[in-house]
Amino acid sequence: MPKPFLFLDVDGVLNPAAPHPATDFEARTLLGFRVLLSRRHGDWLHELSQVHELCWATTWEENANTHIAPALGLPQLPVVRFTGCAPQPGDPRTPVLELFSAAKWAPLLRHAGPRPFAWLDDVIPPRLVRNSLLRRDRLLLRVDARRGLERHHVDRLLAAPPRPAPLAGRLPRRRPKARAGTG
């Protein structure tokens, strides 16, 4: 059985806005932006890769493999595409007030397909987080954009990774039998 996906955002998760001064973040200029990265995050992501299949879910897209992955000591990872993503039949409806914060949701669901997944991001609508609490195949963790990924996030992902949905929920529904005399 394949590992659950772990969808990773960069800005606000691996590149926090205001990390604690005593932490080991190094400032870099990547693509004209000041980025704060920590090798500790790379170590944690290697640890998480034992349980999850890591996957970029960031607007950096392929640039995450070019610039972020080497800085963290990570291999090339799969990338969820957001640029040019158009709504497709079957996509979940997004309330108007969540158009920005939920923009990644449909592409993530398409990429995951039936596989369970976890998602680390600083911008996840609270409604999606609440709804995921009722599912064992999804784990949505909001990260404080000022502090970024912290050890308690890693521990949570390792302690209880998402698992496949119960088989009963994946069986096709039976059509009701026609009653005698109807037709």
Side-chain angles (χ1 to χ4, degrees), residues 21-178:
T23 55
D24 60 345
F25 285 88
E26 179 184 324
R28 299 169 184 246
T29 301
L30 302 174
L31 299 174
F33 298 99
R34 181 175 181 264
V35 178
L36 299 172
L37 297 174
S38 170
R39 288 294 285 188
R40 181 171 26 111
H41 283 166
D43 294 341
W44 290 348
L45 293 173
H46 279 288
E47 194 176 343
L48 287 166
S49 72
Q50 301 305 307
V51 177
H52 299 84
E53 181 179 333
L54 306 182
C55 187
W56 294 119
T58 173
T59 55
W60 284 73
E61 292 185 340
E62 278 300 333
N63 287 316
N65 275 327
T66 305
H67 300 284
I68 305 298
L72 297 177
L74 296 174
Q76 301 284 296
L77 302 176
V79 176
V80 178
R81 303 261 177 246
F82 301 114
T83 304
C85 185
Q88 296 182 8
D91 281 355
R93 302 189 123 209
T94 302
V96 172
L97 295 176
E98 293 179 358
L99 285 177
F100 171 74
S101 62
K104 293 181 179 179
W105 189 235
L108 291 178
L109 290 175
R110 276 188 240 131
H111 189 93
R115 282 176 61 182
F117 65 90
W119 180 23
L120 283 172
D121 206 309
D122 60 311
V123 182
I124 302 175
R127 173 186 60 85
L128 294 178
V129 174
R130 280 191 310 275
N131 291 347
S132 76
L133 295 174
L134 303 174
R135 300 186 62 135
R136 70 185 221 174
D137 62 333
R138 296 179 186 166
L139 174 59
L140 280 55
L141 296 178
R142 288 183 70 177
V143 174
D144 181 340
R146 294 166 297 161
R147 298 171 65 152
L149 180 65
E150 297 181 299
R151 185 64 210 190
H152 68 91
H153 299 113
V154 175
D155 292 341
R156 171 64 179 89
L157 288 161
L158 292 172
R163 298 173 295 152
L167 186 59
R170 292 185 278 159
L171 293 176
R173 289 189 169 184
R174 290 186 182 161
R175 294 175 67 175
K177 292 182 182 178

